[in-house]
Amino acid sequence: MKREQWGSRTGFILAAVGSAVGLGNIWRFPYMAYENGGGAFFIPYLFAMLTAGIPFMILEFTLGQKYRAGAPGTLRRLNARFEWLGWFQVMICAVIAFYYVVVIAWAISYAWFALDQRWGDDSNAFFFGDFLGLGDNSPSNLGGLQWHLLLPLVIAWTASFFATYRGVKGGIEKINKVLMPLLFLLVLVLIGRIIMLPGALSGINWMFAPDFSKIWDLKVWSAAYGQIFFTLSVGFAIMLSYASYLPEKSDINNNAFMTVLMNCGFSMLAGIMIFGALGYMAQAQDKALTEVVSSGVGLAFVTLPTAINLLPAPGIMGPMFFLALVFAGISSHISIAEAVTTGLMGKTGWSRQKTATLFCGTGFVVSLLFITQGGLLLLDLVDHFINNMALLGSCLLELFLVGWLCKLSDYQKRANELSEFSIGIWWQLCIKFLSIAMLAVILFNNIVGAFKENYGGYSDNEILFIGWGMIAVMLVVAIVINASSKQEVKA
């Protein structure tokens, strides 16, 4: 059966950008820039983009386009002993899909709540109490389901199911051709209104004001590289899967540059939007910006609802902000679901329709764990270990495999033959040395930190069985699948 292909170059780039542009661009990047030297942070960030982000993206586009398979199939072609790494990457995607969709469900709910600011004057108590029902719960004591989250969860999963069921051209490409322009338009409209508010420019200045003393801090450079690896969807099956549907003559280098630059450009726009709103909020409440700034879930669902209460026309600007979150989340979740679907199709030989139905159906059931009263805590713990251990380890192993156990120059030659402009020896140096070195430093620091202190104050058993135990199970399952593949080949 002939493999599917993207309908157009624009469709592929929008889908790749849609995968890379996610919730982290909106609620993680602005805070990281602010915390790590403001305008000075953009020097290590841009350096990381050029030496890690773009080279890694070129590598994955080249591998996916050449081998025409998901992560397990591609890594098997590189080295039969490393198929397990492909399955480990697929399982990273599956786990992320299970909990990431819940945050999209929250955003869908809040887009509705924003019409009349249903969170009231105390957005903190509303989010953690009324909305999530978080009480004396823990990751190992989840409590009951929050039934009001069931419908938004169904809506979020339905979007990903429709896209993966219909395929890359009829589903994923069509949806991203609508979602991505709408997302950029929403953010630009919000920026246009927010920067006119008193205090907004002061907030933006807080984010961009450079503290050049921090450039010499290794932690700032680690943060810059970490953000690049987190945000670009490289190293865990997604871009390999997307690139496997590229036509035979596709401009690899140009596509990679455009994808990375558009993603990083969106991060900058998100920073202007967020810090403009926080600057206005700080002035309206007569507080210092340092008292209102935050990151992550707290920024999106506690701090910004408070800011929305103060905005002119909150019933318009509030829903627009949360719709932007929904669009960013769904475009990323579709790519995560597609990475799993592509990997499973290659292994089982099932049709796309059967694979998408089984994965999304199973995923919906597993996601119910995260809409319980303790679901937020389980999500927090699982996300920490997936992002800071499993994902970074996966990136490091993939770069080592291709950079040191394969002939990297062959992939450089292939990318150059297909592209309008060529990449030089710098690309090989970035893959073989710089990216690997930075990933090793970040991962080592994360592992040492994990053993020094329990993340989030969770109990030893929760850290051991839910955190490390989850990664161990994923590794064992990946190795068993790899072993079964070898037996099939021998038979």
Side-chain angles (χ1 to χ4, degrees):
M1 187 174 70
K2 188 179 178 184
R3 190 170 184 80
E4 293 178 85
Q5 288 188 358
W6 297 99
S8 65
R9 180 178 181 174
T10 302
F12 166 70
I13 290 173
L14 286 175
V17 171
S19 173
V21 168
L23 299 171
N25 297 71
I26 296 173
W27 71 36
R28 189 172 190 269
F29 173 81
Y31 185 79
M32 287 201 72
Y34 158 79
E35 197 176 39
N36 289 286
F41 177 74
F42 294 110
I43 295 173
Y45 180 75
L46 292 173
F47 190 79
M49 182 186 78
L50 292 170
T51 59
I54 290 172
F56 209 157
M57 192 69 76
I58 290 172
L59 176 66
E60 295 221 317
F61 281 3
T62 305
L63 293 174
Q65 195 269 351
K66 177 179 173 64
Y67 294 118
R68 305 234 170 274
T74 296
L75 289 163
R76 183 174 65 244
R77 294 280 296 276
L78 289 171
N79 188 320
R81 290 174 297 176
F82 276 85
E83 184 186 344
W84 70 268
L85 178 58
W87 287 111
F88 185 67
Q89 292 182 351
V90 166
M91 282 185 279
I92 289 174
C93 279
V95 173
I96 293 174
F98 299 153
Y99 69 77
Y100 192 85
V101 71
V102 172
V103 185
I104 302 170
W106 297 347
I108 291 170
S109 298
Y110 265 66
W112 176 253
F113 296 160
L115 290 170
D116 58 2
Q117 299 82 62
R118 200 167 305 172
W119 48 74
D121 295 328
D122 190 346
S123 57
N124 187 76
F126 178 83
F127 178 66
F128 294 106
D130 300 348
F131 184 62
L132 295 183
L134 185 63
D136 298 327
N137 302 102
S138 71
S140 53
N141 173 30
L142 295 175
L145 278 177
Q146 295 297 93
W147 291 99
H148 58 271
L149 282 169
L150 201 57
L151 178 59
L153 186 69
V154 169
I155 293 170
W157 267 115
T158 301
S160 290
F161 170 68
F162 174 81
T164 50
Y165 187 91
R166 292 291 303 273
V168 293
K169 185 177 178 181
I172 298 169
E173 184 172 336
K174 281 186 176 179
I175 287 178
N176 277 290
K177 278 184 172 179
V178 175
L179 283 187
M180 283 301 97
L182 271 178
L183 174 60
F184 276 83
L185 181 63
L186 275 175
V187 171
L188 287 172
V189 169
L190 284 166
I191 289 172
R193 182 64 189 96
I194 286 169
I195 60 171
M196 304 299 290
L197 299 172
L201 293 178
S202 298
I204 295 166
N205 186 57
W206 264 95
M207 177 183 161
F208 286 101
D211 178 0
F212 289 108
S213 66
K214 292 200 172 182
I215 285 186
W216 310 110
D217 189 343
L218 181 62
K219 288 181 181 177
V220 172
W221 286 83
S222 291
Y225 274 87
Q227 176 65 17
I228 286 292
F229 288 121
F230 285 134
T231 190
L232 290 178
S233 300
V234 287
F236 63 113
I238 292 174
M239 290 306 176
L240 288 175
S241 300
Y242 269 15
S244 73
Y245 299 107
L246 280 169
E248 288 185 15
K249 294 187 183 293
S250 297
D251 190 324
I252 299 294
N253 298 340
N254 220 334
N255 288 347
F257 267 83
M258 282 193 284
T259 300
V260 175
L261 290 172
M262 287 176 73
N263 169 73
C264 295
F266 181 83
S267 294
M268 304 280 188
L269 289 175
I272 292 169
M273 176 181 73
I274 295 297
F275 270 80
L278 293 177
Y280 169 67
M281 177 181 169
Q283 180 159 317
Q285 295 184 334
D286 196 23
K287 293 180 179 178
L289 188 117
T290 50
E291 293 181 47
V292 300
V293 70
S294 62
S295 179
V297 170
L299 171 70
F301 298 102
V302 176
T303 306
L304 286 172
T306 303
I308 288 166
N309 286 347
L310 302 169
L311 291 173
I316 297 173
M317 295 184 71
M320 284 177 66
F321 171 75
F322 285 107
L323 278 177
L325 275 188
V326 171
F327 292 164
I330 286 177
S331 63
S332 292
H333 193 258
I334 286 170
S335 70
I336 297 165
E338 176 58 30
V340 181
T341 302
T342 300
L344 290 174
M345 285 193 300
K347 175 70 175 176
T348 62
W350 293 341
S351 69
R352 168 173 286 281
Q353 289 71 28
K354 179 180 179 180
T355 311
T357 303
L358 285 172
F359 173 66
C360 292
T362 303
F364 170 73
V365 173
V366 177
S367 295
L368 296 177
L369 291 170
F370 298 98
I371 62 165
T372 54
Q373 290 169 292
L376 170 65
L377 302 176
L378 180 64
L379 187 155
D380 180 49
L381 181 57
V382 170
D383 177 68
H384 176 76
F385 274 86
I386 284 290
N387 274 302
N388 292 284
M389 309 297 174
L391 196 154
L392 291 179
S394 165
C395 288
L396 181 60
L397 285 169
E398 184 182 321
L399 288 178
F400 177 78
L401 167 63
V402 183
W404 289 95
L405 303 182
C406 298
K407 195 174 179 183
L408 198 56
S409 58
D410 287 350
Y411 301 113
Q412 180 184 342
K413 183 181 177 184
R414 181 179 180 87
N416 287 341
E417 285 173 350
L418 292 168
S419 304
E420 293 172 4
F421 63 88
S422 298
I423 49 172
I425 192 67
W426 68 271
W427 181 75
Q428 292 190 47
L429 294 174
C430 291
I431 295 291
K432 292 184 73 168
F433 299 104
L434 198 52
S435 292
I436 286 178
M438 289 305 301
L439 272 170
V441 168
I442 297 168
L443 183 60
F444 176 77
N445 285 336
N446 288 351
I447 292 172
V448 169
F451 283 105
K452 279 185 177 177
E453 184 179 355
N454 280 4
Y455 169 72
Y458 297 116
S459 71
D460 290 344
N461 284 339
E462 287 166 344
I463 294 289
L464 179 63
F465 291 108
I466 298 175
W468 294 113
M470 171 185 64
I471 293 175
V473 169
M474 289 163 61
L475 283 169
V476 169
V477 172
I479 291 167
V480 168
I481 296 174
N482 198 162
S484 70
S485 296
K486 289 180 181 177
Q487 293 299 322
E488 289 170 12
V489 171
K490 288 179 182 178

